[in-house]
Amino acid sequence: MRLDRMSVSALEARFAAGQRGIILPLGSLEQHGAPGLLGTDAICAQAVADGAAARADGVSAPVLAYGQAQFHLGRAGTASLRPSTLMAVLVDVMTSLALGGFTRVLLLTGHGGNIAPAQAAVQEVMAEVSMGRLALPAPLTVKLRAWWEGPRLIGLRRALYGDREGFHATPSEVAIAMALHPEAAPEGWPTFRPLPADPLHDAGGDRHLDAARHRAMFPDGLIGSDPSLARAEHGHALLEAATADVAEVFAAFQAAPDHAAR
C-alpha cells in the first residue's frame, strides 16, 4: 500500500494490528548519460519500494525525488540538494513518521550519493531522542539499504552484465526504467569506456569529486558502465529480483523484536 493513497482510518487500523513499518524510497534527479532518464534513481527506488511493500503486506511512502548529486551539477537537468539539506529533510520526515505512529522505517535509496546524508540523518534523530529533546510515542528503528544490494539481484546483474555493470547509469537501472517507461527507451549510448586509472581514489564508486573534476573524468556521464546492454525484458526480471530481496529484508525488519531490528 502507498501511504499517500491511504486514509487515516486505514492506517490507524494497521497500527492497531501492530503493523507499524514503512519503506521510504530515496531518489535523485540527475544525468544518466545523454540518453538516460533523469529520474532513473527515483523511478527504480519507488518501483522496488512499492513492490516490496505489496509483497510483504507493508506500506511504502512516496519517493523523495531529489537527492545529493553535487558531482553531477552543470549537466542539463540535474538538481541536487546539499548533503545538509537532504539530511535536514530526512530528519523531519522520519521524525514526522515516528510521531504519527510508525516505529520501523526502511530507507531504500536508489542513489549512492544519498547514503552518507541518510546515515547522518538517522544519527541526528537518535541523538535528539537520546538527549531528551525529542519524545516519541514509541521507540523508532531505522534501517538503510540500497535497492541493488540483495543476493538475487546481485547474481542476476552479474549474469547479465558482468564487469560492464559499472557504477552509474548502470544497465540494470536503465533496464528497469525501460521496463517501466517503454515509451522513453533510450538510444544512442556512447561507446563503452572502462573506468579510468585514478591513483587518488578507489577503483570505483563515489569518488567524492566536485562537479568540474567529475565531468572531466567522466565526460559522457557514465562510470564504468555499458547501458547499451540494457533491455526492457531484463528490467522486468531485475525488478522482480530486487522486489523479492527487499521484501524479505522488510518482512524480517517488521517482525523482529525491538532490540533485534537492526
Side-chain angles (χ1 to χ4, degrees):
M1 280 178 277
R2 272 279 292 276
L3 181 62
D4 54 332
R5 298 167 192 170
M6 296 179 68
S7 65
V8 170
S9 56
L11 187 57
E12 288 178 341
R14 289 185 62 84
F15 290 165
Q19 297 170 299
R20 293 178 174 267
I22 188 167
I23 305 175
L24 175 58
L26 312 178
S28 184
L29 185 65
E30 63 185 50
Q31 69 84 22
H32 280 77
L37 297 182
L38 291 158
T40 294
D41 292 346
I43 290 167
C44 292
Q46 184 75 80
V48 175
D50 289 350
R55 189 179 293 231
D57 188 25
V59 174
S60 59
V63 67
L64 291 178
Y66 295 91
Q68 192 289 110
Q70 61 79 21
F71 37 85
H72 292 308
L73 286 173
R75 299 182 191 265
T78 295
S80 175
L81 300 179
R82 294 174 185 270
S84 56
T85 303
L86 178 57
M87 177 182 165
V89 170
L90 284 171
V91 166
D92 286 353
V93 172
M94 287 188 288
T95 301
S96 299
L97 292 172
L99 290 171
F102 287 103
T103 60
R104 303 282 166 89
V105 178
L106 174 61
L107 300 177
L108 186 71
T109 189
H111 172 58
N114 293 338
I115 292 174
Q119 290 172 329
V122 174
Q123 293 302 322
E124 183 72 15
V125 172
M126 296 307 164
E128 291 294 292
V129 173
S130 297
M131 295 177 181
R133 293 197 289 254
L134 175 62
L136 298 177
L140 173 67
T141 309
V142 183
K143 183 185 288 290
L144 173 63
R145 286 289 184 275
W147 65 260
W148 57 81
E149 286 186 287
R152 296 175 184 84
L153 187 63
I154 288 172
L156 184 54
R157 292 165 72 201
R158 186 177 296 120
L160 288 171
Y161 310 123
D163 60 5
R164 294 202 172 198
E165 170 72 351
F167 297 93
H168 178 66
T170 64
S172 60
E173 64 181 341
V174 169
I176 291 175
M178 289 171 67
L180 295 170
H181 296 278
E183 76 285 356
E187 298 177 350
W189 292 105
T191 302
F192 171 70
R193 297 169 63 247
L195 282 169
D198 181 10
L200 296 179
H201 299 87
D202 293 334
D206 185 359
R207 294 164 181 248
H208 307 289
L209 298 173
D210 60 82
R213 288 188 296 163
H214 197 275
R215 287 196 302 274
M217 183 168 284
F218 308 108
D220 57 14
L222 312 182
I223 305 179
S225 63
D226 188 359
S228 70
L229 300 175
R231 301 289 183 270
E233 58 268 27
H234 298 169
H236 292 293
L238 290 159
L239 183 57
E240 171 65 21
T243 296
D245 284 336
V246 174
E248 192 172 88
V249 169
F250 184 58
F253 182 48
Q254 287 202 109
D258 188 65
H259 67 275
R262 293 185 296 171

